[in-house]
Amino acid sequence: MNRPVTPPPFSKLPRAFYLRSTLTVAADLLGRYLVKRTLTGRLVGRIVEVEAYLSAMDPASHSYNGKTPRNEVMFDRGGHLYVYFTYGMHFCSNVVTGEEGTGHAVLLRAVEPLEGTDAMRKSRGLKSSGKPEPLLTNGPAKLCQAFSIGRSENGLDLLGNTIYLTTGEPCPRSSIVRSRRIGIRKGVEHRWRFFVKGNRFVSRP
DNA sequence: CGACCGATTGACT
DNA sequence: GTCAATCGGTCGG
């Protein structure tokens, strides 16, 4: 077998990708591929929507009040996965950015399913049908369910071989839309949400 | 400890 | 548009 982990022309994003400023990373995440390797195959999705959370300057961020048992992964070095449980039933996943101790992260809000869509449908509890549908992964908790991302994935290093991001198809700046984040009630809200213009897999237009 | 509540989703008026 | 589901994290007493 020995099938390559990242078949050309896609390669795993390097540590340096995640160590840049959070807003830069957020915008640059659009178009990249989220990959999860499982026992039965790969799950792949193209990132089309993200939100940045900026620690001490951001009342809406879990890291606003410093490190706690729940958010400690946010303070890891950039390139780790922060997964949290919310509303008693949902998981959401973030990419940690910046140097160790900063507490910044980018929430993955939506991806376009590219590979492993049958497994995603099964994980989502949806009936089989033909083409990939936005319902599979057009929300932060939906994509976690589709990719089976939960407590055991919290803290994973994205430079490992379980879950990682690849170069994918970087989104041209002209196709990036910036808006206020969704569902934020604390503090004065910022335009720290980024999504691919006109993409039908985005959670909300 | 008890109380409040959330970076959501899906069902429904 | 409204609203309940459901429970761990966080904070106040």
Side-chain angles (χ1 to χ4, degrees), chain A residues 99-150:
Chain A
E99 296 292 346
E100 181 171 359
T102 51
H104 306 313
V106 178
L107 173 71
L108 301 179
R109 283 200 56 92
V111 305
E112 172 181 353
L114 295 181
E115 189 178 319
T117 53
D118 287 342
M120 293 183 198
R121 272 199 200 80
K122 190 174 180 182
S123 297
R124 291 272 294 125
L126 303 176
K127 290 183 178 180
S128 294
S129 65
K131 299 176 180 178
E133 295 177 30
L135 278 182
L136 258 45
T137 53
N138 65 349
K142 294 178 189 177
L143 75 86
C144 278
Q145 189 178 27
F147 278 72
S148 297
I149 293 174

